[in-house]
Amino acid sequence: MPQVKIIAKNFMDMVASLTAIKLDKLYNNVFICEAILRSLPPLAKKYVLQLLYTDVPVPATMLEEWVLADGVSKHRAAIDRMIQLRIFMETTDRKKGTSYSLNPTFQKNLQKHIISGGVLPREPMNSNNAIKLPSLQELETYALQQWECFLLQLINSGQGEKLTGISSSMMKIFQRGLLSQRDRDGPRLTESGFQFLLMDTNAQLWYIIREYISNAEERDVDPAELISFLLELSFHVTGEAYNLNTLTEVQRNTLKDLADLGLVKLQQGRKDSWFIPTKLATNLSVSLADSSIRKEGYVMMETNFRMYAYSTSKLQCEILRLFARIEYQLPNLIACAITKESLYNAFDNGITSDQIITFLQQNSHPRCADRVPSIPENVTDQIRLWESDLKRIEMTQAHFYDEFPSKDVFEAACDFAREWRGLLWEDSKRMRLVVKSEVHNKMREFLHTQSK
Amino acid sequence: MASVASKLYSDDVSLLVLLLDTNPFFWSTTSIKFSQFLSHVLAFLNAVLGLNQLNQVVVIATGYSSCDYIYDSSLTPNGNFESSGSGMPALFGSLLEKLEDFAAKDEELSKEEEHEDRIASSLLSGSLSMALCYIQRVFRSGHLHPQPRILCLQGSPDGPEQYVAVMNSIFSAQRLMVPIDSCYIGTQNSAFLQQASYITGGVHHTPKQLDGLFQYLTTIFATDLHSRGFVQLPKPVGVDFRASCFCHKKTIDMGYICSVCLSIFCEHHKKCSTCGSVFGQSKLDDVSSVSNKKRKAPDT
Amino acid sequence: MAGGGQVEKRVRYKSSVKDPGTPGFLRLTEAMLLFVPNDPKSDSKLKVQTLNIKSQKYTKEGSNKPPWLNLTNKQGKSHIFEFENYSDMHACRDFITKALAKCEEVPKKSAVSTSTEQLSIAELELRFKVLRENSELQRLHKQFVESKVLTEDEFWATRKKLLGQVSTGKSKQQVGLKSMMVSGIKPSTDGRTNRVTFNLTSEIIFQIFAEKPAVRQAFINYVPSKMTEKDFWTKYFRAEYLYSTKNTAVAAAEAAEDEELAVFLKPDEILARETRQKIRRVDPTLDMEADQGDDYSHLMDHGIQRDGTKDVVESQNDQFRRSLLQDLNRHSAVVLEGRSIDVESEDTRVVAEALTRAKQVSKADGETTKDANQDRLERMSRTAEMEDLQAPQNFPLAPLSIKDPRDYFESQQGNVLNEPRGAGALNRNVHEAYGLLKESILEIRTKGLSYPLIKSEVSFEVFSSLTQTISTAKNIIGKNPRESFLDRLPKSTKDEVLHHWTSIQELLRHFWSSYPITTTYLHTKVGKLKDAMSNTYSQLDAMKQSVQSDLRHQVSLLVRPMQQALDAAFQHYETDLQRRTAKSVGGSSSERPNGGV
């Protein structure tokens, strides 16, 4: 297991891990309530709406009544998440059992939001103002360019043409976990680093933002404040210009970093400065499901393991290089092949076959994406086969037991271990067995009671 | 259908097409005021939009003699949450404005029509067709699209003369695998809506307390299609499957059917008025119909 | 065990209920019933003619009584057999039922020549088979046929398909011909004398006749007018023998001497004629290459001349030469054709004549189709056509003529009847109504949404009432929506409900199919059906009362649709009856329109 678990979804875990006071404070902002609502699992969203206007606690049994047999686990997950985020207040009554009510601040704010809409602390610039706004298209190109540039710099490939303004100390923080710093052969991508590169932009963005927030305290910035600002930012309108002087000092500094990431574009007017949120920023609060926004794909995979990528991006070329052999590059086309060696290389770096396949699927050219399956089956099968070649041995921490006093005790021990799903091996003739380490403590207790 | 399915978003992103009954003849007789009703509906729409940034809402007004799109959230991206000065989200402003225009136009048309004997039903068939057209366009647009569903908020009684058109819409929806949810707030029962929901796999519900409409809407009708796999929604006890006859537009439970074009008649005809097929003599009539005999008596 | 004709079971025979019983074997055949005691000295040997059995009773499975079968004969004496288990008993019971039915069938035939179609034994057996295999059907049959609600024929009329399925499986397959060739009949030589013996069977004769029309013709011509059958065959095999020795010179010489023998040696004229005809009818688009080596080879300019063996050919005796290939082809043609006639006669002449007739018929068939040539040409043009160049083939098409689509899709306003409308529709003021609507819209535009949107109490109330409906629905359907309520009923009740359902369906099917009532027969039938239905109706009521109170509601939900269906039937019956009586009072029966039945 890599120490840094690269799952973008746990941004909300981070929110959940804030202290209760901070969380409650966070819910004072209408937009954060909205963003949190959007991040919830579908069933949780439904529960919030259901209880939006109920003041009294609702018994848990009433909610459970609606759940079908197939949905019990989803229901549990939804409730857990809501309690974690302090949206649901759980009260346990001896008579009525558990009941839930919505966090009053959260509830009030959402009610208000639904009826009268939210009011942003700042108004967009009037259209008759002098400066020329970039078109949405230009803005998107700008954002992607900025983001790629940042990524290239992040993986230190040295090919970033213009350096972003992110301070090297900040960059170091981002690289933490993604690159391993070794003095001799320079920085190398770690497992998580490779995985990171294969994620889609949104997920990458969340990862970076997460790092940015967790690092906030080192920069004397309150994480809660930062979170609230980021979420608020996501409700601004793409392409509209907002005046910088509506922001606090901290926010302005933050905005500069965000501009380097491509989240906003800064524009200098005659008197005032403006910031224009890009799509990356407004997508921040989009529910974090993986496929919510998808760029047009560019990869075509053939059954003969050759891959053609219509791309001019160096970053994409670098990404492909992670698991494929680049054969030649044309101005708008990268031709490469997936070979056993290139894949072994990738597996060595901790990339899994599933990651590669999902990456190929997510980025397949629209013409290919229309086909089912979008990636030829023989290729996906082969990738998986090559991976399983490397995984013939599985290691499990275990404990070995022998010298049982009697057959009965031995068999009881076996049954016990089986019950806890910890039995790995048994030899009934010589009365020996191997049990997973997790069960060891329970096993010991059990054997104690047996011997008495 | 496979290609359609593959273009769906994976989770709970939905496209809600809401058919809003604006039949003035219904609203002038109800206990709940139209403004009150509208409050609940608008809040509900805003809530649906709030659930997911990619959620999309389209509102079609179903009037007495016309119907029209009055709101489409995809046309005002991201702007739904801003107040338009008057303490109201932009959604409501533009929707209400359109609605007012629509009511005026509908009034003009109704005045021209002047069919005193028509049931005060609204043009459900028209708005259903419009909703399906919209959804069809979304399906064909080629991009990823949200999961569409239709919600009929209906109070007026069924117009039996729309039977064929409504049924055709229902079957199209069934083919497109678009569920039609229906929330009937009128006093009678709507056989159309019951059948629509039953056939397309949607939910039909008749709220008992109209002042709690918002609660009904959020509890039942806000459930996205993804979640419907995990949640039990109320089911009606029975479905009214009765059809309307083509000749007098009466709702009947037993009748005659043209064996060629399946037109339905409440009484025996010599010829099908739809396709012109000539029917044979009805045995039943020959043997047992008293009126038939009476007519024949002078000849013999 | 239960082989078709006979059943044998180990039983105890009791002459009365109190009799401890004699152990032994019960043997059942179709004609009689035989009990043989284990102890040969015992005098309780029994023999009963099936004809004499009047009725049979048996203990029900599940009752605490042992499996008894009680047969009563026409004299009123009863015989009780105690079986080892129920399945044995049922086997015997079924057998007796079947045998009894057969016995009854026989006198019926002679006694009453009813208009109903006479059933073959096979058909009857089939019915019993179907009944035996389908216990539910058996139950229905017992309930309705034996209680005389339906006649046997009526019962089966609705199940023709069921019988048809089984009977098709029974159709006999025709036995084909053996593929062994006649020339394969090797003569047996005894080695000592120069005698050659051919063994002839009717099978072989048939084959010879089929393969060699000339021999057949010759047989008809010569036997018995010119020679005996034996002489004929001797001559034939002599010719064959000569041929098989490939001694064409001798053959030619003998043929010159004996004109009858020559017939066998010469190429078969009839065959040649047939073949020529066949050639004429060959599809011109046929790939002739594929036919290389076909049996046209003995005609000039067709196929290959030689079969590849290096026979030395004397040109003058060419006419006596037949190739093996030719024989082979001819033989396979006959085998493929199969046994075209169904003659099982020993008389050789009959066989020969029948074959000739069959051939003539098929030939006539070919010639009578005058437009065969035309047909051929058409076929040729069809296959040779270039699809792209052809005009589209216009199949006859009758379009659905919807005169005015608006008739279909739109309302026919003109037709709308002046039905009573809702109260709101009568005095509606368009202007006022729209005014109210617009006012509402304006109100919400200026004042915003009503606040509070919804009261907390109302919200909770609505939510809990909805939850209530969900949970009650769950209770009705069961925790698992797929598990039906039926499964929660006790088994006996469930069976009862299901049985009522099937029997109601059966009754209703007959009931509705009897309408319109055109004959007195139907009239009485409907009457009987109605009585049976009202009987069932009261049974349903009784069942509803009998179930436990906690299930009563659910059971009544299940029963309601059945009762509704019955009610509808009753209602129809009543109205129809009234109408008929009204009619018979109003006018005479002569007024029935012609052909109205």
Side-chain angles (χ1 to χ4, degrees):
Chain A
M1 272 292 177
Q3 325 100 299
V4 188
K5 208 178 164 209
I6 304 281
I7 296 175
K9 277 187 184 161
N10 49 23
F11 175 77
M12 281 302 159
D13 286 343
M14 214 164 66
V15 177
S17 67
L18 290 175
T19 57
I21 302 166
K22 275 188 179 167
L23 250 179
D24 287 346
K25 217 174 94 194
L26 217 55
Y27 290 144
N28 278 324
N29 187 324
V30 176
F31 289 101
I32 290 167
C33 297
E34 179 65 28
I36 298 281
L37 176 65
R38 285 181 177 178
S39 78
L40 292 174
L43 269 187
K45 291 179 187 175
K46 182 181 146 57
Y47 294 153
V48 170
L49 280 194
Q50 237 164 251
L51 303 187
L52 193 56
Y53 278 92
T54 316
D55 287 344
V56 283
V58 171
T61 46
M62 261 170 91
L63 288 179
E64 280 157 16
E65 204 61 70
W66 293 71
V67 181
L68 286 174
D70 294 347
V72 174
S73 61
K74 301 249 178 200
H75 169 77
R76 254 332 334 143
I79 297 281
D80 287 349
R81 169 57 99 188
M82 284 158 76
I83 289 171
Q84 220 179 5
L85 285 170
R86 294 180 54 76
I87 296 175
F88 257 19
M89 304 304 206
E90 193 176 26
T91 44
T92 316
D93 191 307
R94 221 174 294 152
K95 257 191 276 169
K96 290 185 209 155
T98 317
S99 45
Y100 303 109
S101 57
L102 279 181
N103 179 327
T105 331
F106 182 81
Q107 190 177 23
K108 279 271 139 45
N109 271 324
L110 265 190
Q111 282 179 4
K112 213 170 87 193
H113 184 257
I114 276 176
I115 288 182
S116 51
V119 185
L120 278 174
R122 59 198 69 85
E123 296 265 313
M125 185 182 65
N126 288 333
S127 52
N128 55 14
N129 217 308
I131 59 160
K132 187 181 157 279
L133 289 174
S135 74
L136 284 179
Q137 191 105 43
E138 283 165 2
L139 206 62
E140 199 173 338
T141 333
Y142 164 81
L144 282 178
Q145 220 173 17
Q146 204 69 15
W147 179 248
E148 277 197 7
C149 190
F150 164 75
L151 281 184
L152 273 177
Q153 200 188 347
L154 185 73
I155 59 174
N156 239 354
S157 69
Q159 291 183 32
E161 282 145 20
K162 69 171 184 205
L163 285 174
T164 55
I166 291 179
S167 65
S168 64
S169 63
M170 184 76 92
M171 206 46 145
K172 284 253 157 56
I173 293 160
F174 290 147
Q175 285 169 344
R176 192 170 56 187
L178 302 179
L179 292 178
S180 68
Q181 303 286 2
R182 263 181 255 156
D183 295 331
R184 262 175 299 152
D185 23 287
R188 275 194 62 207
L189 274 176
T190 62
E191 259 174 55
S192 342
F194 283 108
Q195 290 173 4
F196 173 78
L197 283 182
L198 292 187
M199 293 192 298
D200 65 88
T201 315
N202 225 22
Q204 289 171 337
L205 185 64
W206 271 119
Y207 176 78
I208 293 298
I209 294 294
R210 199 176 76 111
E211 291 294 300
Y212 186 70
I213 293 170
S214 58
N215 169 251
E217 265 163 0
E218 293 171 31
R219 284 177 282 127
D220 287 332
V221 177
D222 180 13
E225 208 174 302
L226 192 56
I227 288 172
S228 109
F229 176 62
L230 279 169
L231 290 176
E232 194 179 294
L233 188 65
S234 69
F235 284 92
H236 287 63
V237 180
T238 315
E240 293 279 356
Y242 297 89
N243 202 324
L244 265 183
N245 58 24
T246 52
L247 302 173
T248 64
E249 183 64 33
V250 177
Q251 286 173 338
R252 241 175 287 173
N253 286 338
T254 311
L255 215 52
K256 273 185 201 132
D257 292 332
L258 296 183
D260 285 330
L261 296 177
L263 263 67
V264 290
K265 186 171 164 54
L266 295 175
Q267 207 147 2
Q268 191 71 44
R270 255 172 303 166
K271 268 193 292 174
D272 303 309
S273 299
W274 309 88
F275 71 93
I276 308 162
T278 67
K279 229 180 178 163
L280 287 179
T282 47
N283 277 342
L284 268 178
S285 76
V286 172
S287 118
L288 293 171
D290 49 355
S291 58
S292 293
I293 44 159
R294 198 181 289 169
K295 290 174 300 189
E296 195 134 276
Y298 58 95
V299 177
M300 292 196 324
M301 188 79 218
E302 292 191 334
T303 49
N304 59 5
F305 293 86
R306 289 176 66 80
M307 190 162 66
Y308 300 94
Y310 285 97
S311 172
T312 49
S313 154
K314 289 208 175 68
L315 179 73
Q316 274 157 2
C317 181
E318 288 305 301
I319 291 173
L320 292 179
R321 207 187 288 279
L322 292 179
F323 61 88
R325 192 182 72 215
I326 308 285
E327 294 189 328
Y328 46 86
Q329 258 177 293
L330 299 176
N332 69 339
L333 178 83
I334 307 162
C336 34
I338 287 184
T339 65
K340 195 175 176 180
E341 287 70 36
S342 72
L343 279 177
Y344 272 19
N345 228 349
F347 297 147
D348 276 348
N349 286 322
I351 303 176
T352 66
S353 62
D354 282 336
Q355 279 172 327
I356 296 174
I357 291 166
T358 354
F359 173 82
L360 289 174
Q361 276 164 349
Q362 279 177 357
N363 289 291
S364 61
H365 195 273
R367 293 264 179 100
C368 300
D370 278 348
R371 285 196 304 240
V372 180
S374 53
I375 307 298
E377 259 171 349
N378 71 320
V379 176
T380 52
D381 287 350
Q382 189 60 67
I383 293 176
R384 291 207 176 93
L385 282 175
W386 275 330
E387 188 192 36
S388 60
D389 272 355
L390 295 175
K391 287 189 176 166
R392 296 205 178 145
I393 294 173
E394 201 183 327
M395 300 238 265
T396 313
Q397 289 257 335
H399 282 80
F400 177 78
Y401 300 79
D402 67 348
E403 292 179 16
F404 282 91
S406 73
K407 197 94 184 166
D408 288 342
V409 176
F410 170 75
E411 263 159 19
C414 281
D415 288 342
F416 181 80
R418 223 174 264 130
E419 225 166 78
W420 288 94
R421 295 166 189 280
L423 185 70
L424 292 173
W425 176 81
E426 64 174 289
D427 175 3
S428 55
K429 234 182 222 166
R430 293 157 121 194
M431 296 205 281
R432 302 187 299 185
L433 78 157
V434 175
V435 176
K436 277 189 199 162
S437 297
E438 294 105 274
V439 196
H440 177 58
N441 279 335
K442 291 201 183 78
M443 194 75 191
R444 222 168 38 191
E445 277 170 34
F446 173 76
L447 287 175
H448 267 294
T449 57
Q450 286 288 304
S451 59
K452 269 173 205 168
Chain B
M1 277 285 110
S3 64
V4 171
S6 64
K7 281 191 280 186
L8 288 173
Y9 291 106
S10 58
D11 48 7
D12 60 334
V13 183
S14 25
L15 160 62
L16 178 73
V17 185
L18 185 96
L19 311 185
L20 193 68
D21 192 358
T22 64
N23 188 341
F25 305 115
F26 168 72
W27 287 112
S28 54
T29 59
T30 47
S31 55
I32 178 177
K33 264 164 69 185
F34 185 64
S35 59
Q36 217 178 335
F37 165 77
L38 215 51
S39 297
H40 287 252
V41 174
L42 290 179
F44 167 68
L45 289 180
N46 215 358
V48 169
L49 286 174
L51 288 182
N52 194 315
Q53 185 167 5
L54 294 165
N55 273 1
Q56 205 184 323
V57 166
V58 175
V59 183
I60 299 173
T62 315
Y64 174 69
S65 30
S66 62
C67 45
D68 203 359
Y69 298 104
I70 54 170
Y71 179 70
D72 183 348
S73 68
S74 66
L75 299 179
T76 50
N78 224 16
N80 309 318
F81 298 97
E82 271 168 282
S83 292
S84 56
S86 60
M88 204 188 286
L91 183 168
F92 302 164
S94 70
L95 189 149
L96 290 172
E97 200 176 314
K98 282 262 188 73
L99 187 61
E100 215 167 357
D101 293 348
F102 171 77
K105 260 188 243 162
D106 197 44
E107 185 177 2
E108 288 305 310
L109 286 169
S110 305
K111 275 181 183 158
E112 280 169 32
E113 211 176 293
E114 285 301 341
H115 276 301
E116 275 305 314
D117 50 359
R118 213 186 99 187
I119 292 182
S121 60
S122 39
L123 201 56
L124 177 67
S125 55
S127 55
L128 262 181
S129 316
M130 281 174 99
L132 288 168
C133 288
Y134 188 94
I135 288 167
Q136 189 64 252
R137 200 173 70 206
V138 170
F139 276 149
R140 291 184 188 179
S141 62
H143 302 303
L144 285 173
H145 58 75
Q147 286 199 337
R149 66 179 196 267
I150 297 175
L151 170 59
C152 297
L153 268 176
Q154 195 77 14
S156 321
D158 289 344
E161 73 278 358
Q162 296 178 45
Y163 175 72
V164 176
V166 168
M167 288 314 284
N168 282 338
S169 306
I170 292 173
F171 292 129
S172 319
Q174 187 192 21
R175 271 184 66 93
L176 287 172
M177 301 203 285
V178 174
I180 301 178
D181 295 338
S182 49
C183 178
Y184 187 71
I185 52 177
T187 41
Q188 288 138 308
N189 256 330
S190 167
F192 285 176
L193 294 184
Q194 285 181 23
Q195 293 186 40
S197 299
Y198 178 80
I199 292 170
T200 57
V203 186
H204 176 81
H205 195 79
T206 317
K208 293 184 192 76
Q209 264 176 295
L210 284 187
D211 56 342
L213 183 65
F214 179 78
Q215 187 66 32
Y216 286 102
L217 291 175
T218 50
T219 315
I220 302 171
F221 299 106
T223 320
D224 57 275
L225 299 186
H226 173 74
S227 302
R228 289 186 190 192
F230 315 117
V231 169
Q232 172 93 54
L233 292 176
K235 278 188 202 123
V237 185
V239 179
D240 184 353
F241 280 117
R242 284 182 303 166
S244 303
C245 69
F246 286 25
C247 43
H248 304 96
K249 310 295 173 196
K250 279 192 297 191
T251 307
I252 53 172
D253 37 17
M254 213 188 262
Y256 296 83
I257 294 186
C258 170
S259 51
V260 177
C261 68
L262 302 181
S263 300
I264 303 165
F265 304 102
C266 60
E267 55 187 41
H268 183 253
H269 292 245
K270 283 195 166 148
K271 229 171 132 187
C272 173
S273 64
T274 310
C275 69
S277 312
V278 181
F279 298 142
Q281 280 282 323
S282 159
K283 265 191 183 172
L284 205 60
D285 276 1
D286 269 356
V287 180
S288 51
S289 161
V290 184
S291 63
N292 202 11
K293 268 181 56 57
K294 271 187 185 153
R295 194 165 39 74
K296 278 198 164 180
D299 298 340
T300 44
Chain C
M1 238 336 215
Q6 179 165 323
V7 172
E8 199 171 311
K9 294 279 185 246
R10 191 189 290 275
V11 294
R12 270 169 177 279
Y13 166 64
K14 302 165 182 245
S15 52
S16 70
V17 183
K18 280 176 190 145
D19 190 348
T22 330
F25 281 96
L26 177 67
R27 186 172 298 144
L28 295 169
T29 64
E30 263 167 24
M32 66 168 69
L33 179 155
L34 197 72
F35 176 73
V36 186
N38 285 349
D39 180 5
K41 275 174 271 170
S42 166
D43 57 354
S44 53
K45 219 174 198 177
L46 183 75
K47 202 182 208 178
V48 183
Q49 298 280 327
T50 314
L51 264 175
N52 282 333
I53 296 173
K54 198 171 131 215
S55 68
Q56 52 170 331
K57 284 187 247 163
Y58 59 94
T59 51
K60 280 216 176 66
E61 203 162 336
S63 64
N64 47 11
K65 283 187 193 143
W68 282 358
L69 183 67
N70 186 349
L71 300 175
T72 319
N73 66 11
K74 295 223 166 113
Q75 285 80 44
K77 181 154 175 30
S78 62
H79 310 282
I80 300 172
F81 300 101
E82 188 184 315
F83 288 84
E84 283 183 332
N85 51 42
Y86 275 99
S87 63
D88 276 5
M89 186 194 79
H90 288 309
C92 288
R93 193 170 53 83
D94 289 345
F95 190 88
I96 294 170
T97 316
K98 202 171 117 186
L100 269 174
K102 247 184 207 174
C103 292
E104 272 164 22
E105 188 61 23
V106 179
K108 213 190 261 172
K109 237 181 230 169
S110 52
V112 242
S113 61
T114 48
S115 60
T116 52
E117 54 177 313
Q118 230 23 281
L119 286 165
S120 66
I121 299 286
E123 175 122 2
L124 215 65
E125 266 175 8
L126 194 64
R127 287 180 181 182
F128 276 108
K129 187 163 163 261
V130 171
L131 280 186
R132 221 174 22 247
E133 282 165 4
N134 187 342
S135 63
E136 198 174 299
L137 203 64
Q138 195 176 11
R139 222 169 136 188
L140 275 181
H141 184 261
K142 203 175 199 164
Q143 187 179 352
F144 294 129
V145 178
E146 284 171 22
S147 64
K148 302 270 189 295
V149 173
L150 296 170
T151 66
E152 179 89 13
D153 286 332
E154 280 167 358
F155 183 78
W156 287 108
T158 52
R159 294 191 170 70
K160 283 203 177 102
K161 210 170 141 202
L162 214 58
L163 293 173
Q165 269 173 357
V166 186
S167 66
T168 47
K170 280 182 72 182
S171 79
K172 237 170 54 187
Q173 196 183 354
Q174 260 204 335
V175 185
L177 294 172
K178 280 190 188 131
S179 59
M180 193 185 70
M181 282 181 68
V182 185
S183 55
I185 317 163
K186 281 279 171 264
S188 55
T189 45
D190 55 5
R192 281 177 301 177
T193 60
N194 239 351
R195 239 166 110 140
V196 179
T197 317
F198 285 88
N199 284 321
L200 203 59
T201 64
S202 59
E203 177 82 6
I204 294 173
I205 292 173
F206 179 84
Q207 209 174 336
I208 293 172
F209 281 162
E211 277 180 34
K212 298 177 178 168
V215 177
R216 190 175 70 215
Q217 197 53 49
F219 185 87
I220 293 170
N221 290 344
Y222 302 149
V223 183
S225 56
K226 252 181 152 176
M227 57 180 90
T228 65
E229 196 176 335
K230 198 178 171 203
D231 286 343
F232 177 84
W233 289 119
T234 318
K235 229 169 205 143
Y236 168 76
F237 282 111
R238 177 157 183 79
E240 277 299 293
Y241 182 70
L242 285 175
Y243 171 71
S244 68
T245 54
K246 298 212 167 58
N247 196 342
T248 43
V250 177
E254 289 217 12
E257 279 170 29
D258 187 340
E259 60 171 293
E260 283 97 34
L261 189 75
V263 171
F264 302 131
L265 289 171
K266 267 191 231 151
D268 198 324
E269 251 318 295
I270 300 174
L271 205 58
R273 213 184 313 130
E274 264 176 31
T275 313
R276 258 185 231 110
Q277 205 174 1
K278 238 202 258 171
I279 292 169
R280 241 178 284 132
R281 284 208 310 246
V282 167
D283 189 339
T285 57
L286 207 66
D287 182 3
M288 288 301 278
E289 263 179 63
D291 290 338
Q292 269 186 7
D294 223 346
D295 70 342
Y296 313 134
S297 53
H298 55 285
L299 294 176
M300 293 295 285
D301 307 325
H302 274 285
I304 51 168
Q305 197 67 44
R306 307 273 328 180
D307 59 352
T309 56
K310 286 191 177 172
D311 279 342
V312 185
V313 184
E314 296 105 308
S315 54
Q316 70 273 26
N317 296 326
D318 205 27
Q319 56 170 330
F320 300 114
R321 195 180 43 79
R322 277 180 292 165
S323 70
L324 173 69
L325 216 56
Q326 231 170 291
D327 283 342
L328 210 62
N329 279 330
R330 177 65 196 157
H331 174 70
S332 35
V334 169
V335 171
L336 282 180
E337 212 168 77
R339 206 182 274 272
S340 53
I341 54 160
D342 206 9
V343 189
E344 282 180 42
S345 172
E346 288 299 308
D347 188 351
T348 325
R349 192 176 169 84
V350 172
V351 175
E353 274 168 351
L355 265 174
T356 316
R357 253 198 319 277
K359 280 285 167 205
Q360 266 161 357
V361 168
S362 69
K363 205 162 84 190
D365 274 353
E367 277 161 9
T368 45
T369 46
K370 288 264 157 73
D371 47 1
N373 206 37
Q374 181 64 29
D375 182 52
R376 240 177 64 199
L377 283 175
E378 260 175 35
R379 201 157 31 152
M380 193 162 79
S381 70
R382 235 191 349 261
T383 28
E385 89 189 19
M386 304 282 287
E387 274 176 11
D388 296 354
L389 301 179
Q390 289 290 317
Q393 287 200 356
N394 287 321
F395 294 106
L397 177 82
L400 177 65
S401 77
I402 291 182
K403 286 176 292 182
D404 182 358
R406 286 181 15 175
D407 283 354
Y408 194 84
F409 292 110
E410 285 175 18
S411 57
Q412 294 161 310
Q413 300 281 3
N415 275 347
V416 174
L417 277 185
N418 275 323
E419 289 281 303
R421 297 297 181 199
L426 285 174
N427 54 348
R428 94 169 62 113
N429 186 330
V430 177
H431 186 73
E432 195 177 297
Y434 275 100
L436 269 170
L437 189 74
K438 282 192 215 159
E439 207 174 279
S440 283
I441 299 170
L442 200 67
E443 184 189 324
I444 197 169
R445 275 190 78 175
T446 47
K447 288 190 194 159
L449 303 193
S450 54
Y451 189 86
L453 185 64
I454 174 170
K455 287 195 197 100
S456 168
E457 307 85 67
V458 175
S459 155
F460 184 72
E461 199 182 315
V462 167
F463 181 55
S464 40
S465 79
L466 280 175
T467 312
Q468 189 69 35
T469 47
I470 292 281
S471 47
T472 48
K474 253 189 197 168
N475 282 335
I476 293 175
I477 304 164
K479 281 280 176 265
N480 183 349
R482 268 151 255 159
E483 168 198 332
S484 90
F485 166 72
L486 265 182
D487 294 329
R488 297 202 328 206
L489 287 173
K491 187 166 183 319
S492 60
T493 322
K494 181 187 167 186
D495 287 347
E496 203 176 343
V497 169
L498 287 176
H499 175 68
H500 278 309
W501 179 236
T502 45
S503 56
I504 287 170
Q505 274 181 319
E506 177 74 18
L507 286 170
L508 285 175
R509 177 158 44 189
H510 285 285
F511 179 81
W512 289 109
S513 65
S514 319
Y515 280 93
I517 296 173
T518 46
T519 59
T520 45
Y521 172 74
L522 282 176
H523 186 71
T524 47
K525 180 182 172 186
V526 164
K528 271 192 296 181
L529 285 169
K530 194 222 149 207
D531 292 341
M533 284 194 297
S534 36
N535 200 10
T536 318
Y537 198 92
S538 49
Q539 278 175 13
L540 283 179
D541 275 334
M543 188 184 69
K544 259 201 305 194
Q545 297 308 317
S546 68
V547 290
Q548 291 162 28
S549 55
D550 57 326
L551 295 173
R552 193 168 296 158
H553 175 64
Q554 328 287 10
V555 170
S556 66
L557 280 184
L558 283 173
V559 165
R560 195 180 300 153
M562 305 187 203
Q563 290 188 325
Q564 276 170 350
L566 288 175
D567 282 336
F570 291 148
Q571 202 185 345
H572 187 83
Y573 178 80
E574 290 302 329
T575 52
D576 190 63
L577 202 68
Q578 275 171 20
R579 209 182 282 171
R580 289 168 70 81
T581 48
K583 190 175 119 188
S584 61
V585 170
S588 67
S589 59
S590 69
E591 240 185 292
R592 175 172 293 179
N594 17 349
V597 175

